[in-house]
């Protein structure tokens, strides 16, 4: 297929595909799916070999959020029966992180619900970062605390944070349909603050919220322009009790095409399969490792994930290896901050200044509502039960 050959060539050169090319990936048929995976896999292996980076989530504060993000079980007005608790103490968070590190995680992601941290919250998280790093040599720490105020990113960096996550989630054009209590521009501003403070920026998307192919391409092109080092791709977990609780729009094949498109647009960036892989990729998760070079180990913020042992077996059985703490995740040109060609990093990451008519991709068939696979987290942080790692 000429399209795939062109995209591989561009990926190896870190050249931005056209918008039409990105849309064409999403419009490929199931008959062509393995060819798409094989092509994107060439780009993935060129920049990241067969390494898989493991990340581990620690939910520092669960529920009780004043924001109205429609996809979130912790949102204002959510009736999802999730765990709700206030801030973990630094020692508790460190113990939770240690379970993930013991399971092979290289990065610990500290997440707290809420609009954004107060200065007191930044102090609290700074103590937690210190506790984790004192007890786990070589671990990376990423903070995800919501919208940042002036100076807070610098304080987190001084405290030892390596990265900051704040996802764009969906296209600028449709963001107001998903959230009304803050704006798309607020999210972009926070990622830019993290970047400017010297933190490794992490920003991604959520697929499966009823968006079009054009929306998906918009947000991934926007991410390339924004230039984060890592791009988490989440697949909506439809929690009962949230506005999107009945949105079952994804098939395993659709998820693979989305990951492949993301890899072609951001060839040399850490693409991470994040929440929802067990729910929507299901038995096709191993194929996704040919597209993404990073996953979360164990459970997520408010839902349970695949058993940590099963994750490790899946990686080994698929012919990949867990990335060690002595290995650098990003290619040398990104790790040394030298940029990567015209337009900036990852080729240039998200927002999209690339011309080309949109084109209309075929709508994916609606997936079966697998509510049996949406399991509320009842173990780990905030409970007396051992975590899944």
């Amino acid at each position: 297929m000429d399209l795939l050959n062109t995209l591989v060539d561009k990926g190896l050169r870190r050249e931005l595909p056209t918008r039409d090319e990105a849309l064409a990936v999403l419009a490929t048929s199931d008959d062509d799916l393995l060819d798409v995976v094989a092509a994107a896999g060439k780009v993935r292996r060129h920049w990241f070999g067969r390494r898989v980076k493991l990340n581990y989530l620690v939910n520092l504060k669960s529920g009780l959020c004043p924001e109205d993000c429609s996809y979130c079980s912790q949102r204002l007005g959510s009736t999802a029966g999730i765990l709700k608790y206030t801030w973990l103490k630094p020692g508790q968070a460190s113990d939770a992180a240690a379970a993930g590190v013991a399971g092979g995680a290289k990065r610990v992601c500290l997440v707290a619900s809420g609009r954004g941290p107060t200065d007191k919250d930044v102090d609290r998280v700074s103590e937690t970062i210190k506790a984790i790093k004192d007890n786990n040599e070589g671990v990376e720490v990423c903070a995800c605390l919501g919208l940042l105020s002036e100076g807070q990113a610098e304080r987190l960096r001084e405290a030892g944070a390596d990265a900051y996550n704040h996802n764009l989630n969906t296209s600028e054009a449709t963001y107001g349909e998903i959230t009304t209590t803050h704006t798309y521009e607020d999210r972009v501003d926070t990622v830019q603050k993290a970047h400017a403070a010297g933190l490794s920026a992490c920003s991604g998307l959520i697929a499966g919220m009823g968006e079009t192919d054009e929306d998906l391409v918009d947000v991934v092109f926007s991410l390339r322009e924004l230039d984060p080092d890592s791009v988490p791709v989440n697949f909506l977990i439809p929690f009962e009790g949230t506005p999107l609780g009945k949105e079952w729009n994804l098939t395993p094949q659709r998820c693979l095409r989305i990951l492949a498109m993301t890899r072609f647009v951001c060839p040399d960036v850490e693409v991470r399969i994040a929440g929802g892989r067990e729910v929507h990729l299901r038995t096709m998760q191993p194929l996704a490792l040919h597209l993404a070079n990073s996953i979360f180990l164990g459970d997520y913020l408010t839902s349970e994930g695949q058993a940590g042992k099963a994750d490790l077996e899946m990686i080994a059985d698929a012919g990949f290896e867990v990335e060690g703490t002595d290995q650098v995740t990003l290619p040398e040109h990104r790790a040394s901050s030298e940029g990567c060609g015209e337009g900036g990093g990852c080729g240039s990451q998200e927002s999209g200044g690339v011309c080309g008519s949109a084109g209309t991709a075929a709508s994916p068939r609606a997936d079966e509502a697998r509510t049996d696979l949406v399991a509320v987290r009842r173990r780990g942080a905030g409970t007396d039960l051992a975590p899944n790692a």
Side-chain angles (χ1 to χ4, degrees):
M1 187 184 293
D2 289 343
L3 168 68
L4 297 179
N5 290 333
T6 297
L7 289 171
V8 170
D9 288 344
K10 287 186 174 184
L12 300 185
R13 297 195 305 266
R14 291 174 279 135
E15 182 181 333
L16 182 67
T18 68
R19 184 180 174 84
D20 280 348
E21 287 167 345
L23 285 165
V25 173
L26 297 178
T28 52
S29 70
D30 287 352
D31 288 342
D32 292 327
L33 182 62
L34 288 179
D35 292 332
V36 173
V37 172
K42 290 180 182 178
V43 178
R44 180 253 200 263
R45 289 192 301 278
H46 177 80
W47 296 113
F48 299 97
R50 288 189 168 273
R51 293 175 284 115
V52 178
K53 181 176 181 177
L54 299 182
N55 308 266
Y56 190 71
L57 283 167
V58 177
N59 197 351
L60 296 178
K61 179 167 73 78
S62 183
L64 312 172
C65 185
E67 302 296 288
D68 69 352
C69 306
S70 298
Y71 51 82
C72 185
S73 61
Q74 304 182 79
R75 75 186 297 272
L76 179 70
S78 169
T79 58
I82 62 169
L83 290 169
K84 296 178 182 179
Y85 53 86
T86 191
W87 290 93
L88 297 180
K89 293 181 172 57
Q92 294 173 310
S94 180
D95 289 345
V101 173
K106 181 175 179 177
R107 171 174 288 189
V108 172
C109 303
L110 302 176
V111 187
S113 61
R115 179 178 178 83
T118 64
D119 287 341
K120 182 179 179 181
D121 292 337
V122 173
D123 289 339
R124 191 192 328 258
V125 175
S126 295
E127 293 176 16
T128 298
I129 293 169
K130 183 178 185 305
I132 290 172
K133 292 215 160 188
D134 284 348
N135 294 323
N136 299 279
E137 184 177 356
V139 71
E140 299 174 6
V141 175
C142 178
C144 178
L145 311 173
L147 301 174
L148 291 174
S149 301
E150 293 297 331
Q152 291 183 329
E154 286 79 6
R155 291 177 58 199
L156 289 168
R157 176 65 171 156
E158 291 169 4
D162 300 284
Y164 195 85
N165 165 262
H166 201 57
N167 295 329
L168 295 189
N169 292 327
T170 193
S171 69
E172 183 176 10
T174 59
Y175 194 84
E177 300 172 15
I178 300 299
T179 304
T180 67
T181 47
H182 60 266
T183 67
Y184 179 91
E185 291 75 15
D186 290 333
R187 287 188 169 266
V188 170
D189 177 68
T190 284
V191 178
Q192 291 173 337
K193 280 185 169 73
H195 221 317
L199 292 166
S200 176
C202 174
S203 188
L205 64 139
I206 304 173
M209 298 191 290
E211 69 284 334
T212 64
D213 283 4
E214 288 76 10
D215 291 323
L216 286 168
V217 170
D218 281 349
V219 69
V220 176
F221 271 59
S222 293
L223 287 165
R224 176 169 173 135
E225 183 70 21
L226 196 56
D227 196 27
D229 289 324
S230 54
V231 175
V233 179
N234 295 275
F235 301 109
L236 176 71
I237 302 176
F239 274 96
E240 291 187 16
T242 66
L244 297 182
K246 298 188 182 300
E247 290 286 338
W248 290 86
N249 303 307
L250 297 171
T251 64
Q253 294 83 0
R254 171 77 167 168
C255 294
L256 290 171
R257 282 191 281 268
I258 292 167
L259 287 167
M261 186 269 289
T262 303
R263 173 56 71 198
F264 285 131
V265 176
C266 296
D268 59 340
V269 164
E270 178 188 341
V271 174
R272 183 181 311 141
I273 316 171
R277 66 178 163 94
E278 299 89 346
V279 177
H280 296 294
L281 280 164
R282 301 192 288 274
T283 58
M284 295 182 77
Q285 290 180 69
L287 271 182
L289 296 176
H290 292 271
L291 309 170
N293 62 296
S294 179
I295 66 170
F296 279 108
L297 177 73
D299 293 334
Y300 301 99
L301 296 176
T302 61
S303 64
E304 293 188 351
Q306 186 166 279
K309 183 175 183 290
D311 283 339
L312 297 176
E313 290 174 349
M314 175 182 72
I315 291 168
D317 288 349
F320 293 88
E321 61 182 21
V322 173
E323 183 175 288
T325 56
D326 59 336
Q327 295 175 295
V328 177
T329 300
L330 296 173
E332 185 178 356
H333 63 271
R334 288 195 65 86
S336 59
S337 300
E338 293 177 356
C340 45
E342 292 183 6
C346 137
S348 128
Q349 243 154 209
E350 274 179 56
S351 288
V354 175
C355 300
S357 59
T360 301
S363 299
R365 65 184 183 276
D367 200 8
E368 179 187 359
R370 290 296 304 272
T371 55
D372 59 306
L373 295 178
V374 179
V376 173
R377 181 173 67 84
R378 300 295 184 197
R379 59 195 175 195
T383 77
D384 295 326
L385 300 178
N388 171 28

